[in-house]
Structure formats: C-alpha cells, structure tokens
Amino acid sequence: MQYSEKVMEHFRNPRNVGEIENPDGTGRAGNPVCGDIMELYIKVKDGRIVDAKFKTFGCGAAIATSSMVTQMVKGKTIEEALNISNKTVAENLGGLPPIKMHCSVLAENALRSAINDYLSKKK
Amino acid sequence: MAKKKMPSVKKIYVDYNSTTPVHPEVVEAMMPYYRNVFGNASSIHRFGQEAHRALDLARESIAKLLNCDTSEIVFTSGGTESDNHAIKGIVSAASASSAMASAGNHIITSKIEHSAVLSPCKYLENTAGAVVTYLPVDEYGVVGLQKLDEALTDKTILVSIMSGNNEVGTLQPVEEIGRIIAKHNESRIAKGQRPVYFHTDAVQCAGKISLDLKKLNIDLLSLSSHKIYGPKGVGALFIRKGTKIHPLIHGGHHEKSRRAGTENIPGIAGFGKACDLAVKNMATETKKIAGLRDAIWQGISKKIECVRRNGHPEKCLSNTLNVSFEFIEGESLLLNLDLKGIAASTGSACTSGSLEPSHVLSAMGVDPVTSQSSIRFSLGMLNTQQDVDYILDVLPGIVTKLREMSPLYKKKKRAG
C-alpha cells in the first residue's frame, strides 16, 4: 500500500488542526473501534463557511482527508459545501489506496454532520 | 560562509520480526552456489554431487540448531509453507488412513497464531470437515494449559501452538504443552490409537531461545530463514521420526519424497550458514538486544504518559516490544516515525492489509481502540544504543503532535 505524494504532504503538514471556539456547527464521524474518528468544526457567516478546523484519531489517510476537506470547504456556501463528496476529497489528494477509500467517506460524513448541526441550530 | 553540514538521513530498522537483513557471511556462503556450484542436487554427476553436499551441510547446521537428527529436517520455501505442510499434511495422513478416518478430525490451535497457521486451519474447517478449537490466551498472551488439557479429545489429531508470538513476543510454555500431549498419548498408544501430534511455529524463536528437540515433546516445528539473517524463500520443517504426515507438494523424490521440487541450493546454503551464526551468537546477541529493547521501554514509560506494554514482561522474545500509545492511531505514528527514518510496525506485516484490530491483542483482551494505538518495535543485530537514544529523542514529540490532533485525547484532558 502506497500513499500519493499529496496525501503524505497533507499528512506531514495537516492544515486546520484544532478546534473553533463557539463553532456554528460541529460534526463527528467514524468509530474508534475501526481506528478512525473525525471531529469537524465550522464557523459560518452570511451563509458561507468562513473557517473550518478538525481533530482526528486515525491513520495517514484519515488525517490527510481531514486536512483536505477543511481546506476545501473554507469560503464555500453551505450549498456548495454539501456538494463535496468523498470522491472529490480523494481526487484532490491524488487518489487513495482502495483499502483507505473509507477515510474519504469519513471526511464527507463529518462535514455533513457539521452542516446538519449548523442548520438545526439555525432553525 | 562556511558550508552548513547536511544532516545525515537516519535509517533505523526496528522491524526485525517482519524480516532481517542477510548477514554478510551468509551472502558469502551463498555466492559459490550461484556461480560455480550450480548443479541440480538430484543429478548423479559431479555438479549434482557438489550441490548435494551443500544440502547435507546445511541440514547438519539446522539439525545442530534444533538438536535433532538431520533426517528429520525437510527444506521448504519458508515458514508459511512449513506451517501449511505440518497442518495439512497431518490432517491428510489422518483422513487417508482408513483405520483413522473415524478416529480424528480435530485440531487444537490458539487464537494468537500467525495467519500461516490460522488460515490453513480455517481452510480445513471449510473444506475437509476439520473441527478446530482456538484456545484462548490470558492478558499476557499465554495459552492456558488447563484449557488445552480439557480440549484434547479422542478425535484430536494435531495441536499447533506457536513458540513465540510475532506481534507481542509472548513465549508459550511449549515444554509443558508437549508434556500434556505426551501424557494424553500414553493412554492412546496403549489402546493402539494414533497419537496426537504437536506442531509449533518457531519462526520467531529460532536464534533467540534454545530449542532442544531431544528434550521437547515436539513432533513438528517450522523455521524460516529470513527471520534469522538468512535469505528469503527458504525454511524448514522438522518432522520427528515416525510421524505420519503427507507431503504438501507432490512431484519428484526430493527431500526423500517429503517435499518435491528442485532444491533452492543457494538459499539453503545461506540458511545453513545463518543457523551456524545463530548457534554461535545466540547468547551474546540476545543479551545485547534485550538490553536495548528494555531501554526503549524504560525510556517510553518515563517520557510518555498513557502508554502500556502488551505481552508478557518476562516470558517474551528478547527483541520484541509492543506498546499502545493511547489516543493515537498506530499507522499515523508509524508514518511519522518513518518520516524520521525509523522503521517499526503495527503488529504483523502479514496483516497490515487489514483494518481490523490485531487478532492477537483482541485475544489478550486489549480493547479495540487501545489495540489500534499499538506499534511494535522488534530489534536485531544492527541496532545500537545510539538508535535507542534517537528513537527516544523523536518519539515523544510525535506522540504529542498526534495527541494534540486527537479528539480522544481532548476528552481525556477535559475529564482530567
């Protein structure tokens, strides 16, 4: 199993690690039994995600996808963010080994969960 | 301006349980058999005779390491083949003998075996009607003798329990296991029944602990060359005289019809040399390596909080250290170590394609999350105190970085 250069680059220097104080949305995905948990926090202003951060327990691919998805959502509207799929996260990382594709699903789920949290709070 | 000295790229290998470098003397011992002595050991001419002599010499070396007869050694392609040969060969011989057909189809093994034992057992369950008991282990990974005694039935044909575990290093009480089986066999032999055979995968133990087959009640024992500084693709199966076993690979009359296929003479010659070196260096090497291994654990437990050592603290391979670093995942720790030039492993290289928590740690009752947080350091010949110092220098920083990133650690901190 080999990771792409892009995955390793994000693994070495993950972007947006940490938490947001008083986030507008918090998402959580994964299961520690499977070796992955991702928490994703978003700050939303005028319908646009202005900041995103994460905390992840997981393998190299889980950390790289967390880093990538937080980078991808910044500046996007909620609607645009909901269009981010696990495939686009993996593509942006130059692909993932087949056995690690579930990590990109984890990123998508964490993002959706954060957005849902934001939308439910807004109501 | 003075030129800045480039930092040299560190390369520290602490994954000797997955494979070892070939010892330079082993390489030397192999070279003639690639160049001049290339004959087929089955040929009658002098080229063949020379090759055959290499085979004889290597067999003597392996017999010396195990204190057994040369006729009891069969060369194979490695540990996996040896395990398959032992298990499938015994089951096949038992079912072929009409008197035995009703006598047995039961195999006893343990939950912490290497996949080279577990997979053949599963295969026989699925295809040959074998009934397999997977013995549990205690928190240190030791098989319970009482449990073994209770599991033995009139239908049992084989017990396969490893000598030393590849992931956590725990040594099994093979001497006592052999004694229990021998005792069980007394009544069987009195009744004219076939004995229960005892196979042990000793791939990790060879060269680390002494294996005296004149004393131990072991009928079959697997060895691998590349775990003891020999070449890959060679191994051996010890088959005690009189053991009723079928070959795994059928063909020519090689290895007295016990294993067909033209012998890998260079590999076997190298394996023989590796055994000679193991006999010669075992005492000094294991002591040195155990010292370095202990130093790593002492350093880790002193410098890093929330760590636990997996495996038996004393009854353990001298070179193996398995540690859980709570709140971080093993692979990300490994990748970070690799970026610093340190090559370690999560559990077993043979199961690294799997996402499941280690079956060994699970059997020991380690919870799945802690299991995912575990890595293995397995040391060897080339490791030094400098390596240990370097590992202890970079490891705490990596652990801190990953814990800062972990949502599990955050919770722990909040909980105080």
Side-chain angles (χ1 to χ4, degrees):
Chain A
M1 191 199 73
Q2 287 281 312
Y3 285 131
S4 71
E5 240 168 72
K6 194 88 194 241
V7 169
M8 282 311 290
E9 202 274 313
H10 272 263
F11 175 74
R12 271 197 301 272
N13 308 298
R15 279 62 147 185
N16 312 312
V17 177
E19 285 174 75
I20 293 175
E21 246 179 81
N22 306 317
D24 296 313
T26 303
R28 190 180 164 97
N31 180 344
V33 173
C34 311
D36 300 304
I37 304 180
M38 193 180 293
E39 277 184 16
L40 202 148
Y41 318 91
I42 52 171
K43 197 87 190 158
V44 184
K45 212 173 172 188
D46 305 328
R48 221 170 254 283
I49 296 172
V50 290
D51 200 8
K53 286 196 185 298
F54 78 90
K55 286 218 160 178
T56 292
F57 164 90
C59 63
I63 289 171
T65 52
S66 307
S67 168
M68 178 51 81
V69 79
T70 50
Q71 211 183 24
M72 284 167 73
V73 295
K74 276 201 212 177
K76 288 208 165 52
T77 64
I78 292 295
E79 206 165 281
E80 287 165 344
L82 280 169
N83 280 329
I84 293 173
S85 72
N86 77 303
K87 279 204 186 107
T88 50
V89 176
E91 273 163 20
N92 274 286
L93 284 167
L96 284 172
I99 195 170
K100 297 290 186 181
M101 271 311 278
H102 72 280
C103 294
S104 62
V105 177
L106 191 74
E108 182 188 312
N109 290 348
L111 173 63
R112 272 162 209 266
S113 152
I115 292 172
N116 287 341
D117 182 47
Y118 161 73
L119 293 174
S120 70
K121 277 182 186 166
K122 222 179 92 182
K123 270 179 200 159
Chain B
M1 206 175 93
K3 251 190 187 169
K4 245 189 176 172
K5 213 175 154 192
M6 284 293 283
S8 58
V9 182
K10 284 261 184 196
K11 260 175 108 178
I12 295 177
Y13 187 77
V14 278
D15 197 13
Y16 281 80
N17 285 8
S18 67
T19 193
T20 61
V22 182
H23 194 289
E25 288 183 41
V26 170
V27 176
E28 281 310 306
M30 291 170 71
M31 290 323 282
Y33 301 101
Y34 283 115
R35 293 194 172 121
N36 309 321
V37 192
F38 58 86
N40 184 324
S42 300
S43 303
I44 201 132
H45 49 61
R46 68 184 59 222
F47 291 85
Q49 285 170 23
E50 282 175 334
H52 206 275
R53 203 168 306 129
L55 206 52
D56 291 341
L57 284 174
R59 214 183 298 278
E60 276 170 30
S61 300
I62 284 118
K64 207 168 157 197
L65 177 72
L66 300 177
N67 194 22
C68 68
D69 205 277
T70 50
S71 67
E72 296 173 309
I73 298 298
V74 175
F75 288 110
T76 67
S77 67
T80 294
E81 186 190 319
S82 297
D83 287 344
N84 271 269
H85 187 165
I87 296 164
K88 293 177 185 165
I90 290 292
V91 168
S92 166
S95 60
S97 151
S98 58
M100 297 303 151
S102 58
N105 60 349
H106 179 224
I107 302 170
I108 300 173
T109 185
S110 83
K111 286 188 175 167
I112 62 159
E113 297 298 311
H114 190 274
S115 42
V117 165
L118 291 177
S119 295
C121 286
K122 295 236 164 73
Y123 171 78
L124 292 169
E125 271 181 303
N126 293 334
T127 61
V131 176
V132 184
T133 301
Y134 299 90
L135 291 176
V137 294
D138 67 13
E139 61 182 306
Y140 301 113
V142 182
V143 170
L145 296 173
Q146 174 104 35
K147 289 259 171 20
L148 167 68
D149 202 24
E150 288 162 7
L152 284 162
T153 71
D154 285 348
K155 295 268 182 199
T156 310
I157 51 174
L158 176 69
V159 175
S160 179
I161 293 174
M162 69 198 330
S163 306
N165 183 266
N166 49 313
E167 288 189 35
V168 295
T170 300
L171 300 174
Q172 298 302 334
V174 285
E175 197 179 331
E176 289 84 346
I177 292 171
R179 222 176 282 144
I180 288 171
I181 295 168
K183 191 152 192 317
H184 180 84
N185 281 339
E186 278 172 20
S187 60
R188 283 193 167 211
I189 291 161
K191 282 186 253 171
Q193 288 175 335
R194 185 179 190 277
V196 176
Y197 292 120
F198 177 26
H199 165 248
T200 187
D201 177 332
V203 158
Q204 295 293 347
C205 279
K208 292 174 195 148
I209 58 169
S210 95
L211 298 160
D212 185 343
L213 291 173
K214 290 265 190 286
K215 286 195 186 135
L216 296 164
N217 285 314
I218 292 169
D219 302 298
L220 301 133
L221 181 144
S222 302
L223 288 182
S224 169
S225 155
H226 78 100
K227 309 283 191 190
I228 60 165
Y229 309 101
K232 292 169 181 63
V234 197
L237 178 64
F238 158 81
I239 306 176
R240 191 175 291 283
K241 230 170 272 173
T243 303
K244 291 193 171 52
I245 182 168
H246 280 182
L248 179 70
I249 296 174
H250 298 84
H253 294 294
H254 313 86
E255 297 293 286
K256 295 188 182 145
S257 297
R258 292 174 296 183
R259 200 279 189 183
T262 300
E263 299 86 350
N264 168 8
I265 300 294
I268 289 169
F271 184 21
K273 184 70 187 178
C275 288
D276 292 343
L277 292 169
V279 170
K280 192 175 121 198
N281 300 331
M282 183 146 54
T284 49
E285 280 293 313
T286 46
K287 200 170 161 221
K288 182 199 103 177
I289 291 166
L292 296 175
R293 188 268 319 264
D294 293 342
I296 295 183
W297 171 238
Q298 275 155 20
I300 287 173
S301 51
K302 209 168 81 186
K303 290 183 166 192
I304 305 173
E305 59 163 0
C306 301
V307 291
R308 62 167 275 173
R309 182 174 175 183
N310 302 306
H312 199 286
E314 285 119 37
K315 290 173 203 154
C316 185
L317 292 170
S318 50
N319 75 323
T320 307
L321 174 66
N322 187 303
V323 183
S324 300
F325 297 85
E326 304 271 1
F327 318 115
I328 59 183
E329 197 270 343
E331 188 201 280
S332 53
L333 182 51
L334 271 196
L335 287 170
N336 271 296
L337 284 171
D338 188 45
L339 292 171
K340 296 279 187 189
I342 300 165
S345 149
T346 55
S348 155
C350 298
T351 49
S352 65
S354 149
L355 302 169
E356 297 290 312
S358 149
H359 71 285
V360 176
L361 295 175
S362 296
M364 288 161 60
V366 177
D367 72 85
V369 185
T370 305
S371 174
Q372 300 276 19
S373 306
S374 306
I375 66 168
R376 175 187 76 186
F377 301 94
S378 52
L379 283 72
M381 189 175 76
L382 297 176
N383 291 127
T384 61
Q385 182 60 44
Q386 283 75 26
D387 294 349
V388 172
D389 294 343
Y390 179 72
I391 290 168
L392 292 173
D393 207 30
V394 302
L395 189 56
I398 294 173
V399 171
T400 303
K401 176 182 146 185
L402 288 170
R403 281 184 177 165
E404 288 305 321
M405 217 185 276
S406 168
L408 303 175
Y409 189 59
K410 176 188 83 177
K411 276 210 195 105
K412 187 253 170 192
K413 275 204 298 197
R414 274 187 199 146

